């Protein structure tokens, strides 16, 4: 299991309606991952501006985190911190994350409290996973709304062809390719593929 725990950046400067809107977008993005993850990802709000997501496909942990950030960024300037963790955990039958328990939930929650400064993502596993997460975080922090829109469309493992993505977004295929290139997607895609293949071994 993988658990992503997050909170909104600069939430004290946001109106309550803006906080609600941002968390609603994260929840909607979580639900939209159901067709490319094992089982149905679970979302829960934590406190005023916090949230948590459980994904049953641990090898897709970083991809899921980047997808949530892209879905949030494509709609506005709001950003979120995300603490990623992989491990053992137990969900109640009703899927309520606020009643979940286990080491993975503790690790993710504790890690979030250590993310400070310009960093927005960290991985509790350390090593190569954390290194890849921090580099991906640096790339994602520079996404424009247009770039995030394209990134969110191609990150799902079963993403449609670029031509279909262009049509759904309302831009040309060339514009999609340019947005992905300038957003650092080719390198991200290679890194995600390598991490996910390694995790399956």
């Amino acid at each position: 299991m993988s658990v992503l725990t997050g909170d909104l950046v600069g939430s004290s400067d946001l109106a309550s309606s803006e906080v609600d809107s941002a968390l609603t977008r994260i929840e909607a993005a979580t639900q939209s991952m159901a067709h490319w993850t094992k089982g149905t990802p679970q979302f829960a709000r934590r406190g005023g501006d916090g949230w948590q997501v459980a994904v049953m496909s641990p090898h897709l942990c970083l991809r899921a985190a980047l997808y949530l950030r892209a879905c949030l960024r494509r709609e506005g300037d709001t950003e979120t911190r995300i603490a990623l963790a992989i491990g053992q955990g137990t969900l109640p039958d009703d899927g309520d994350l606020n009643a979940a328990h286990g080491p993975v939930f503790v690790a993710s929650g504790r890690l979030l409290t250590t993310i400070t400064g310009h960093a927005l993502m960290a991985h509790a596993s350390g090593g190569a996973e954390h290194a890849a997460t921090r580099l991906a975080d640096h790339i994602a922090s520079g996404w424009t709304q247009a770039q995030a829109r394209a990134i969110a469309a191609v990150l799902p493992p079963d993403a449609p062809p670029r031509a279909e993505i262009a049509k759904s977004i309302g831009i040309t295929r060339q514009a999609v390719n340019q947005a992905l290139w300038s957003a650092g997607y080719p390198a991200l895609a290679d890194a995600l593929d390598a991490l996910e293949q390694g995790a399956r071994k």
Side-chain angles (χ1 to χ4, degrees), residues 146 149-150 153 162-176:
R149 193 173 298 116
R162 300 275 176 93
E164 291 184 25
I165 290 173
K167 185 176 181 180
S168 68
I169 296 177
I171 59 178
T172 66
R173 180 175 178 177
Q174 290 75 15
V176 169

Side-chain angles (χ1 to χ4, degrees), residues 57-153:
S57 302
H59 66 287
L60 297 175
C61 188
L62 181 54
R63 186 181 296 270
L66 289 169
Y67 180 73
L68 295 180
R69 283 188 67 178
C71 288
L72 181 61
R73 182 70 182 91
R74 69 184 176 183
E75 302 295 337
D77 295 329
T78 306
E79 285 277 17
T80 184
R81 280 176 284 267
I82 306 178
L84 296 73
I86 294 174
Q88 298 298 314
T90 301
L91 284 173
D93 291 339
D94 62 3
D96 181 9
L97 289 190
N98 291 316
H101 57 89
V104 68
F105 292 96
V106 174
S108 183
R110 286 179 176 173
L111 181 60
L112 181 65
T113 66
T114 71
I115 301 177
T116 59
H118 295 294
L120 295 183
M121 295 200 306
H123 201 301
S125 296
E129 288 86 355
H130 179 62
T133 298
R134 288 293 299 116
L135 289 172
D137 175 24
H138 175 72
I139 294 172
S141 294
W143 288 342
T144 65
Q145 283 183 253
Q147 290 169 345
R149 193 173 298 116
I151 290 284

Side-chain angles (χ1 to χ4, degrees), residues 20-43:
D20 288 341
S21 177
L23 294 177
T24 296
R25 294 200 298 274
I26 294 173
E27 181 177 13
T30 300
Q31 294 171 348
S32 71
M33 290 192 296
H35 66 94
W36 52 270
T37 62
K38 179 181 178 181
T40 301
Q42 300 296 321
F43 170 90

